[in-house]
Amino acid sequence: MTLPATFIATPADVERAAELRRVKWLATGLLAATFAVFIAARTLLPVHPVFGFIAAFAEAATIGGLADWYAVVALFKRPLGLPIPHTAIIQSNQQRIAEKLGEFIEQNFLESGPVEAKLRQIDFGTFIADWLRDRKRAEDLARFVLRLLPEAFSATETSGLMQFITRRVTTQLLSIDLAPLAAGALRGFVQEGKHEGLLDDILRVMHRTLTQEETMAVIRDKVRAEMPTLLKLYRADRFVVNRIIASATKFFEEVQGDPNHPFRGEFDRMLLSFVERLGSDKAFAERIDGLKRDLIARPEVANLGRTIWANAKDFIERSATGESQVLMQQLSRMFVEAGEAIAGDAELRGEINRGLVAILRTVVAEQKSGVSTFIADQMKAWDMEQLLQLLEINVGKDLQYIRFNGSLIGGLAGLALYTLEYALRLL
């Protein structure tokens, strides 16, 4: 058989086509041979009765061969081009065959049970781990991600997604009640004793500030302004300031040197009282909420967000062009580490396998009717000449052997019937 020019044949197809031609010629040659034997045996029948047996075998073999030739040809085309009913079976039933094949695949191959059983045989977790652990693949994946990121950034800017994200983030920030969060953070700060260090730092700063000449001069001026004129003549202001500084310094040193100083207890009670008020007092909550709203509304915050976005975009663009290798190295290292983590965690691999099985099972269940429809539509759109050539190349050889079998079985049946008839005539 000759393949049409539009048929894309592989070397194996060409070889099968040549073998099919050879078998066809053999089957046709056998048919011609049985017919020739039949004619010769009928001619020689008066010479000896044995030629009757030969003629009977050859006649039935010829009829059997012709019948099976008709059956094989009728499967693909019309025998001798005649419009005989129930021939060219595949051509006549292309639409129905396509629909039934799609339905068969949907019901027998895409059902949830067989699909899930097959999916469970696949170790997705190990495959992902091995794939990511390969440094070359990790680098290729990082390079691929970097090529996509600039386009993603640009699409985000032009699609209005950035404004949507900004509004959503702002809404979420405004909905956060900061007062309980602040109260909880301060409560943990006090319970862990970190406020003690804060108190020591405050005392050191106050002590250092009071002993500075500038601070003492300011205090002296204030004291002098409040003292009677007579006391000013005796420089009482210096004495008072020195006493104040000395007393304060002594107090600071006592508090710093004594972990159980009463002032520390008062400081603790003051902080805890403030924490309680912060968490329950509506006035505090409203004040903090107002500060939060004022802060978010400030243009500096919006400018800061745009600056961060622009810098991130510029960095990613430079990384995508290869100007900077930092991000690609970080991404590839992250992928390798992720692969190592998955490989070393059997429970995680199990979760990945179960998750992917559930996802793929759902996808197949939702799309199986679409798959069967796609298969049916593709078969309906196939060029019938090409389809017949394809089918005949792949199964035609076996079908031709039916002709051999038909000739043999027909001949044996004819011989048996002739023998029975001959025996009955002798009785």
Side-chain angles (χ1 to χ4, degrees), residues 122-134:
I122 305 173
D123 190 353
F124 294 102
T126 299
F127 173 78
I128 293 172
D130 293 341
W131 199 94
L132 289 175
R133 283 194 297 174
D134 186 278

Side-chain angles (χ1 to χ4, degrees), residues 2-3 9 74 78 84 88 102 105 113 150 162 188 190 202 204 217 220 261 295 327 344 348 371 376 398 418 427:
T2 304
L3 297 176
R78 298 191 183 280
I84 304 173
I105 292 174
M162 187 62 187
V190 173
I202 292 173
R204 277 193 293 271
R220 189 181 300 114
H261 195 280
L295 178 62
L327 186 56
L348 178 59
V371 172
D398 294 322
Y418 181 80
L427 294 177

Side-chain angles (χ1 to χ4, degrees), residues 37-286:
V37 169
F38 165 68
I39 297 298
R42 291 289 291 185
T43 302
L44 297 173
L45 183 59
V47 176
H48 195 280
V50 72
F51 288 106
F53 292 91
I54 297 174
F57 177 87
E59 180 182 14
T62 301
I63 295 172
L66 281 172
D68 285 333
W69 166 82
Y70 175 86
V72 171
V73 172
L75 187 64
F76 297 98
K77 59 187 74 172
R78 298 191 183 280
L80 303 177
L82 299 175
I84 304 173
H86 305 294
T87 57
I89 295 173
I90 295 177
Q91 293 182 16
S92 303
N93 295 275
Q94 181 182 4
Q95 304 292 317
R96 186 165 60 88
I97 292 172
E99 292 174 358
K100 288 299 180 182
L101 178 61
E103 182 181 326
F104 177 79
I105 292 174
E106 178 181 352
Q107 294 178 355
N108 294 276
F109 292 95
L110 300 180
E111 278 297 310
S112 58
V115 169
E116 183 173 354
K118 185 62 179 177
L119 289 173
R120 289 189 180 279
Q121 297 175 7
I122 305 173
D123 190 353
F124 294 102
T126 299
F127 173 78
I128 293 172
D130 293 341
W131 199 94
L132 289 175
R133 283 194 297 174
D134 186 278
R135 187 164 296 278
K136 176 65 169 55
R137 289 173 177 165
E139 291 177 354
D140 292 341
L141 179 59
R143 197 173 293 109
F144 173 74
V145 171
L146 282 177
R147 283 200 300 268
L148 294 181
L149 281 178
E151 297 180 7
F153 266 71
S154 299
T156 302
E157 290 177 335
T158 57
S159 64
L161 181 61
M162 187 62 187
Q163 289 76 9
F164 173 76
I165 293 174
T166 302
R167 287 196 300 270
R168 290 293 300 170
V169 170
T170 302
T171 302
Q172 291 298 319
L173 289 175
L174 290 174
S175 66
I176 297 174
D177 190 358
L178 291 180
L181 295 177
L186 284 174
R187 187 178 291 109
F189 184 77
V190 173
Q191 290 173 351
E192 293 176 6
K194 294 181 179 179
H195 66 296
E196 296 289 347
L198 175 62
L199 177 59
D200 291 336
D201 291 339
I202 292 173
L203 292 174
R204 277 193 293 271
V205 170
M206 292 181 65
H207 179 268
R208 187 165 57 250
T209 303
L210 282 174
T211 55
Q212 289 179 349
E213 287 296 331
E214 296 83 356
T215 306
M216 294 175 66
V218 172
I219 296 174
R220 189 181 300 114
D221 291 340
K222 294 293 291 182
V223 171
R224 183 186 291 254
E226 298 295 330
M227 292 182 70
T229 305
L230 180 61
L231 293 178
K232 292 178 183 179
L233 296 174
Y234 292 98
R235 298 180 180 268
D237 56 325
R238 182 181 295 276
F239 174 77
V240 173
V241 170
N242 290 337
R243 292 301 299 169
I244 291 173
I245 299 300
S247 298
T249 300
K250 183 178 180 182
F251 174 76
F252 293 152
E253 290 175 351
E254 288 176 354
V255 175
Q256 285 181 294
D258 186 2
N260 298 317
H261 195 280
F263 181 76
R264 291 184 179 274
E266 290 296 327
F267 184 72
D268 293 350
R269 282 189 291 274
M270 180 189 70
L271 279 180
L272 291 174
S273 174
F274 175 74
V275 168
E276 292 301 325
R277 290 183 61 194
L278 185 62
S280 59
D281 194 329
K282 290 185 178 180
F284 271 107
E286 291 175 356

